[in-house]
Amino acid sequence: MSKMAPPEELMNVNYSTPSEPWMDVRPEFKPGTFSYPGKPDVLKYLGLPNPRDWSPTEEDWKLPPDWRETIRDGFRELLGKYRSLKVFMDCCVRCGACADKCHFYIGSGDPKNMPVLRAELLRSIYRGEFTVAAKILGKLAGARKLEEDVVKEWFMYFYQCTQCRRCSLYCPYGIDTAEITFLARDLMNRIGLNINWILEPAANCNRTGNHLGIQPHAFKDMMDFLVDDIETVTGRRVEPSFHRKGAEILFITPSGDIFAEPGIYTFMGYLLLFDYLDLDVTWSTYASEGGNFGSFMNDKWMKKLNAKMYAEAKRLGVKYIIGGECGHMWRVLNQFMDTMNGPADFLEVPKSPITGTVFENAKSTKMIHLVEFTADLIKNGKLKLDKSRNAGITATWHDSCNTSRGMGFFDEPRYVLENVVEKFVDMPSQTIREQTFCCGGGAGLNNGEFTEMRLRGGLPRGNALKYVQEKFGVNTMSCICAIDRATLPGLADYWAPGVKVTGLHELVGNALVFEGEEERTMNLRQEDLPGLEGSEEEE
Amino acid sequence: MAGLVTALLAVVALAAVAALGAGAGMAQVFGIYIPYVAVAIFVTGFIKKVLGWASTPVPFAIPTTGGQQYSLPWVKQAKFDNPSTPGQTFIRMALEVLCFRSLFRNTKVDNRPGEGTVGYGSDKSLWLFALIFHYCFLIVFIRHFRFFLEPVPFLVTGVEFVDSILQISVPTLYLTDVFFVVGVTFLLARRLFDSKVAYISLASDFFPLFLILAIALSGIYMRYFAKVDVIAIKQLAIGLVSFKPVIPPNVDWSFYMHFFLVCVLWAYFPFSKLMHLGGVFLSPTRNLPNNTRMVRHINPWNDPSIKPHSYADYEDDFREKMIEAGLPVDKEA
Ligand code: SF4
Ligand code: SF4
């Protein structure tokens, strides 16, 4: 990747439209704007068609000879399976309300990143192939023929969409470009147009249970390592268990949390909380991934990867499942899991063993969000929390796209956050809650080669962050998403240097006061606690 | 621009065809045959399209949630932006259909690199004019029932009374006529002058706008300028709806033009984006409650043969390493 221009320059986005009509503008594959294709052996492992070495920058994409037929048949099949697709293909009035809602458009000015035009890339083929009138009128009616350039454009722009659904919120008909992207990717997968950063994690999830390909013994090692770190910080030896049959709860979180900073601190927060409560919870290496990379591919793989959660819950005989902090994981858990892999009639309606609260809102999936669980604990006064352990933090909250627009999870995390930090301010109202802006890395786009485009797409979030940093001295952005924890540090370094990114349970872990504990001098990052001298004097 | 010009020419040509044709003694065609055909196309086309959507499964419940979910009892739910029951969803839909809730949210990007800020100011102009346009359309539509119904129902006379409350000019000016033209003009102006919207606009976006504008203007011409023989037109209209069509004398050519353009709109409707009228009710991101963790949504084509990579296979793959690491296994080596 070329060196990034400074933020001031990147902000200078050119929003003017080209003089040629969009159908005449060919996609240009410049480094930094696309992700590398799926590797042949990964495609083979997943049983996907057309494994080959190819590059988007070359003229010949080595499509299978009958690719047109495959796309046509696939399109027809999906139109028969998804009412959403059918309605969204027919109903757009091109009002443009969605146009400037996409972070990739705001950050790049490329008109094909306007959600409406992204969808038109597919819609033009729908018209050209499946509607009589438009077929006859051709370009005039926005119809075009299925040419190689068309699928090249699909590859470009459907892998420049993070499926964040911000566009859908503003559309008068709720047209959801994320859904269109999902189905376009399904089509592309049928002729071998996919990206490795989705396929390889999906393959890993299938075999090893998590997207990083961590094998069970290594997973345990990493856990041990974090357990040691917890001991260093708190003096407590927590004892997580694996695959313990008959445990009350199975806990599943995105595997990114065990692997890299700052996710590991959140992971330590989970462990501390469970230890504090003496919760009857177990972990699984087989189901060690909350995130669902299949949901970036097609419905089959989304279902197949998700199915492990219930399968493992059943095998272990737990009563219910708690899920950790993750975004797209929760989109799938909230809107797809029960439909795909339910009914979970072998589980019980989740009931907090500490507070007795019955989670009616999850009575069918039997899977609750850890933050719901924690918020309930705090509300019932079951946690002793010392905010001063997070002293020096002025926090803001990043609402993840998936939990925001595919769930509506806003007040619970804020409630927890306000109980563990002394200072909290929200970013401007049109950049949070349901209107939140994407980190730029969702739906499989958090790969290295895509960094430039991702940082451009990060402009709205980055700018809002910079605003509260300058105005209120915000120095920490907290979130409940593993992709955010991976993406936002880079985004913050670029757009608002000096702001740290934390998961929510990292801050909970810091603030938790154990009975008779030895005094902490460090936080979970093993940084000295600020103002410690002061508290010593008081004693 | 090609789209704009084509659409404009098409509407002018259609208007001319009717004006000339009716004058050339083809009143039967424009007053009787075409209307019947157009209505038949509209009805069958509309029903076919809606049935096509309705018969397609909704595999997943994918509401776009626009506020706080139903959660713990002390967390205040945004019931109508994130409904969890059918009743709340009904209200969400009513707000969407009747008040254009989503457009009400509209914002406009305001990127100021010089100041280093990006803002998203509220922009309700599209909401306002879309609302004006659609409601005027509805009222004008209702008003027209006076031509088809005898006696004229109270609702229609009531609407008419309010609409002409200003009592200006003879015949009295309908407010909706004015606002309607204002609404269409705004929508057209946006398409022309907002570069983003201009860039995405197709002939099929301009065509209905020009068509509707032409219908409005021809109607206004008939009423306020040509002052056509309303009794004769009512006779024609009642003849049509009672399936005893007649062509009364004294019907001005401008009526046939107006009526023909309306027929074009009917016939065009089911094949165009105007079907958003039906689609708005069927959008799965709006018309479903966000209760998928409470109530299982059924996907009729859910494939039970898709199974996870099984635990047994996983353990076979890693058994030794698991045992060595002290992880419990189902089968010892
Ligand atoms: S807001 Fe909806 S109807 Fe308007 S252009 Fe976008 S997708 Fe189309
Ligand atoms: S889902 Fe998000 S990334 Fe995709 S088009 Fe819509 S706003 Fe853009």
Side-chain angles (χ1 to χ4, degrees):
Chain A
M1 195 201 67
S2 53
K3 184 109 180 55
M4 286 296 290
E8 307 80 69
E9 224 168 278
L10 219 67
M11 266 194 83
N12 246 316
V13 182
N14 176 7
Y15 295 110
S16 65
T17 44
S19 49
E20 319 94 298
W22 65 264
M23 282 192 199
D24 299 340
V25 181
R26 296 188 64 203
E28 234 188 296
F29 288 90
K30 283 187 280 194
T33 62
F34 64 89
S35 308
Y36 298 148
K39 292 183 186 141
D41 51 328
V42 180
L43 266 77
K44 277 183 208 145
Y45 174 80
L46 293 169
L48 292 174
N50 202 18
R52 72 213 183 279
D53 278 311
W54 66 285
S55 163
T57 52
E58 274 159 32
E59 196 45 44
D60 181 9
W61 283 24
K62 305 181 190 164
L63 300 177
D66 57 347
W67 71 270
R68 278 193 186 79
E69 271 313 295
T70 310
I71 294 282
R72 270 185 210 121
D73 293 348
F75 208 151
R76 195 170 298 117
E77 179 196 323
L78 294 179
L79 284 167
K81 284 168 105 176
Y82 285 88
R83 185 187 296 169
S84 53
L85 181 64
K86 229 175 178 166
V87 172
F88 295 166
M89 287 294 109
D90 284 327
C91 283
C92 173
V93 297
R94 283 165 299 284
C95 69
C98 59
D100 60 357
K101 304 304 179 284
C102 177
H103 52 287
F104 282 125
Y105 173 71
I106 296 172
S108 74
D110 182 342
K112 283 178 189 163
N113 269 321
M114 298 193 283
V116 46
L117 212 43
R118 199 188 307 284
E120 288 284 307
L121 302 180
L122 199 66
R123 209 175 270 125
S124 54
I125 298 304
Y126 167 74
R127 294 194 198 101
E129 298 288 339
F130 300 103
T131 64
V132 187
K135 230 184 208 164
I136 302 164
L137 292 170
K139 267 194 186 178
L140 215 49
R144 56 178 179 169
K145 292 220 174 64
L146 194 50
E147 303 293 353
E148 275 200 29
D149 272 350
V150 170
V151 287
K152 287 182 177 178
E153 212 170 39
W154 287 2
F155 181 82
M156 179 87 160
Y157 293 100
F158 290 122
Y159 290 109
Q160 274 187 15
C161 165
T162 45
Q163 306 186 342
C164 76
R165 308 179 95 207
R166 193 167 192 270
C167 46
S168 165
L169 181 73
Y170 295 90
C171 173
Y173 318 113
I175 292 176
D176 181 6
T177 310
E179 181 85 348
I180 293 172
T181 292
F182 175 75
L183 296 169
R185 288 181 179 186
D186 179 333
L187 286 180
M188 285 191 287
N189 265 311
R190 295 168 193 234
I191 56 170
L193 299 184
N194 30 41
I195 66 174
N196 201 56
W197 212 84
I198 292 174
L199 297 195
E200 199 165 309
N204 284 338
C205 287
N206 192 54
R207 176 167 178 244
T208 64
N210 58 72
H211 86 273
L212 296 157
I214 308 166
Q215 300 192 0
H217 55 292
F219 198 93
K220 169 119 193 327
D221 277 354
M222 290 167 146
M223 178 86 97
D224 288 343
F225 182 76
L226 297 181
V227 167
D228 289 344
D229 276 4
I230 289 176
E231 192 169 10
T232 310
V233 174
T234 67
R236 296 183 72 83
R237 187 86 196 159
V238 301
E239 283 166 359
S241 72
F242 282 100
H243 304 181
R244 186 160 52 81
K245 293 193 176 167
E248 183 180 359
I249 302 160
L250 170 65
F251 182 71
I252 301 175
T253 195
S255 63
D257 284 352
I258 200 170
F259 172 74
E261 291 181 31
I264 50 171
Y265 308 121
T266 300
F267 198 98
M268 287 149 84
Y270 303 150
L271 289 174
L272 274 171
L273 178 71
F274 299 159
D275 184 62
Y276 181 95
L277 301 169
D278 204 7
L279 205 63
D280 186 9
V281 61
T282 194
W283 300 72
S284 166
T285 60
Y286 164 70
S288 51
E289 179 61 68
N292 189 317
F293 284 77
S295 69
F296 310 148
M297 289 168 65
N298 55 36
D299 51 54
K300 176 185 165 201
W301 276 97
M302 172 165 64
K303 174 172 173 161
K304 192 168 164 63
L305 296 181
N306 172 260
K308 279 188 175 180
M309 295 192 184
Y310 279 153
E312 185 67 341
K314 197 170 187 174
R315 184 182 76 90
L316 298 175
V318 298
K319 287 192 181 142
Y320 61 95
I321 314 173
I322 298 185
E325 299 182 9
C326 184
H328 63 286
M329 158 178 174
W330 273 97
R331 170 99 205 276
V332 174
L333 300 183
N334 189 49
Q335 298 197 325
F336 300 98
M337 174 155 88
D338 204 3
T339 300
M340 296 186 298
N341 291 312
D345 40 21
F346 49 91
L347 296 174
E348 291 173 16
V349 178
K351 179 178 171 189
S352 171
I354 317 295
T355 65
T357 300
V358 178
F359 290 87
E360 285 292 334
N361 63 337
K363 65 180 177 217
S364 182
T365 52
K366 281 102 172 179
M367 180 149 187
I368 55 170
H369 199 297
L370 181 61
V371 172
E372 291 170 327
F373 183 78
T374 305
D376 172 63
L377 291 169
I378 297 176
K379 186 77 186 175
N380 284 289
K382 300 293 182 192
L383 299 183
K384 189 163 177 222
L385 298 163
D386 179 0
K387 290 182 182 182
S388 74
R389 299 257 193 83
N390 287 313
I393 287 181
T394 301
T396 193
W397 182 252
H398 168 71
D399 291 289
S400 309
C401 307
N402 282 290
T403 50
S404 299
R405 288 179 286 264
M407 199 170 175
F409 203 55
F410 304 118
D411 290 339
E412 303 90 333
R414 280 182 174 73
Y415 177 76
V416 174
L417 183 62
E418 278 167 335
N419 274 285
V420 293
V421 296
E422 285 165 343
K423 279 185 244 152
F424 161 66
V425 282
D426 256 323
M427 287 178 278
S429 63
Q430 265 139 356
T431 71
I432 56 165
R433 297 179 75 95
E434 65 277 0
Q435 305 192 66
T436 189
F437 276 107
C438 188
C439 64
L445 305 184
N446 192 24
N447 55 66
E449 64 270 20
F450 193 67
T451 301
E452 181 181 332
M453 192 62 196
R454 186 170 57 250
L455 284 177
R456 283 182 193 278
L459 185 155
R461 173 44 74 232
N463 192 262
L465 180 59
K466 189 176 121 215
Y467 175 81
V468 287
Q469 181 189 27
E470 286 172 357
K471 189 150 185 204
F472 303 107
V474 163
N475 55 15
T476 303
M477 174 155 59
S478 191
C479 62
I480 37 166
C481 173
I483 292 181
D484 284 334
R485 283 190 288 276
T487 308
L488 291 176
L491 177 143
D493 283 348
Y494 182 78
W495 289 106
V499 177
K500 272 194 319 193
V501 175
T502 73
L504 189 53
H505 276 82
E506 173 185 345
L507 300 174
V508 172
N510 278 335
L512 263 186
V513 183
F514 285 79
E515 204 165 314
E517 69 173 9
E518 53 185 73
E519 192 182 346
R520 289 197 213 172
T521 57
M522 296 183 279
N523 62 21
L524 289 172
R525 300 188 179 202
Q526 304 199 9
E527 299 159 345
D528 288 337
L529 287 183
L532 191 72
E533 314 82 58
S535 60
E536 265 169 7
E537 271 164 33
E538 272 165 30
E539 277 166 11
Chain B
M1 273 307 114
L4 169 89
V5 175
T6 319
L8 185 59
L9 290 180
V11 173
V12 170
L14 288 167
V17 164
L20 298 177
M26 289 167 70
Q28 287 255 337
V29 175
F30 288 96
I32 299 173
Y33 302 137
I34 291 178
Y36 277 134
V37 173
V39 170
I41 295 176
F42 175 76
V43 173
T44 47
F46 195 98
I47 293 178
K48 214 175 143 223
K49 191 100 225 177
V50 171
L51 286 183
W53 290 331
S55 64
T56 310
V58 181
F60 302 107
I62 52 164
T64 305
T65 53
Q68 173 61 42
Q69 69 170 354
Y70 168 79
S71 170
L72 296 158
W74 46 273
V75 176
K76 190 165 177 288
Q77 178 194 2
K79 291 200 173 82
F80 309 133
D81 280 327
N82 191 347
S84 56
T85 66
Q88 292 163 3
T89 312
F90 181 83
I91 296 180
R92 181 184 206 193
M93 284 300 291
L95 287 172
E96 194 62 83
V97 174
L98 302 175
C99 310
F100 299 2
R101 168 73 179 107
S102 294
L103 276 186
F104 189 74
R105 290 182 196 271
N106 198 25
T107 58
K108 198 178 164 146
V109 163
D110 181 12
N111 184 356
R112 301 184 185 175
E115 294 160 38
T117 57
V118 191
Y120 315 89
S122 166
D123 178 8
K124 303 220 186 305
S125 60
L126 179 58
W127 171 79
L128 182 68
F129 285 95
L131 212 57
I132 290 175
F133 168 74
H134 283 86
Y135 272 100
C136 287
F137 205 137
L138 180 68
I139 291 170
V140 171
F141 182 73
I142 293 174
R143 268 209 271 108
H144 276 69
F145 278 97
R146 75 189 161 113
F147 293 106
F148 297 96
L149 302 172
E150 192 60 61
V152 179
F154 175 73
L155 174 75
V156 178
T157 45
V159 164
E160 253 184 71
F161 174 75
V162 176
D163 201 359
S164 49
I165 199 102
L166 285 188
Q167 299 283 336
I168 324 173
S169 92
V170 186
T172 48
L173 179 77
Y174 288 131
L175 293 174
T176 42
D177 284 352
V178 178
F179 281 114
F180 190 60
V181 174
V182 168
V184 186
T185 311
F186 173 83
L187 295 180
L188 200 55
R190 259 184 101 244
R191 278 214 187 276
L192 294 172
F193 302 118
D194 182 328
S195 67
K196 293 193 299 298
V197 186
Y199 196 62
I200 56 177
S201 292
L202 302 168
S204 49
D205 296 311
F206 288 111
F207 180 71
L209 280 176
F210 284 130
L211 186 62
I212 288 167
L213 190 60
I215 290 171
L217 293 178
S218 57
I220 288 170
Y221 172 81
M222 280 163 67
R223 179 174 164 83
Y224 302 102
F225 299 95
K227 305 201 170 142
V228 293
D229 183 347
V230 179
I231 309 289
I233 291 173
K234 179 146 186 173
Q235 211 185 335
L236 190 150
I238 295 215
L240 282 173
V241 289
S242 57
F243 293 100
K244 292 186 202 100
V246 281
I247 296 291
N250 323 326
V251 177
D252 194 59
W253 62 272
S254 61
F255 165 77
Y256 289 108
M257 183 169 87
H258 180 69
F259 197 33
F260 177 66
L261 294 175
V262 172
C263 291
V264 172
L265 186 66
W266 278 337
Y268 174 73
F269 201 102
F271 310 101
S272 71
K273 68 170 194 176
L274 301 175
M275 279 306 291
H276 67 267
L277 169 65
V280 66
F281 294 96
L282 287 170
S283 180
T285 59
R286 292 288 187 274
N287 69 7
L288 291 165
N290 174 30
N291 63 354
T292 31
R293 280 197 288 155
M294 290 184 273
V295 181
R296 181 165 182 243
H297 177 89
I298 303 294
N299 171 7
W301 50 262
N302 192 28
D303 181 356
S305 74
I306 298 173
K307 296 264 189 275
H309 175 70
S310 73
Y311 175 81
D313 289 344
Y314 171 84
E315 196 182 291
D316 285 347
D317 203 353
F318 298 112
R319 183 169 295 109
E320 267 141 53
K321 291 170 177 168
M322 289 173 78
I323 293 171
E324 213 171 297
L327 289 167
V329 288
D330 277 358
K331 262 194 287 179
E332 293 298 331

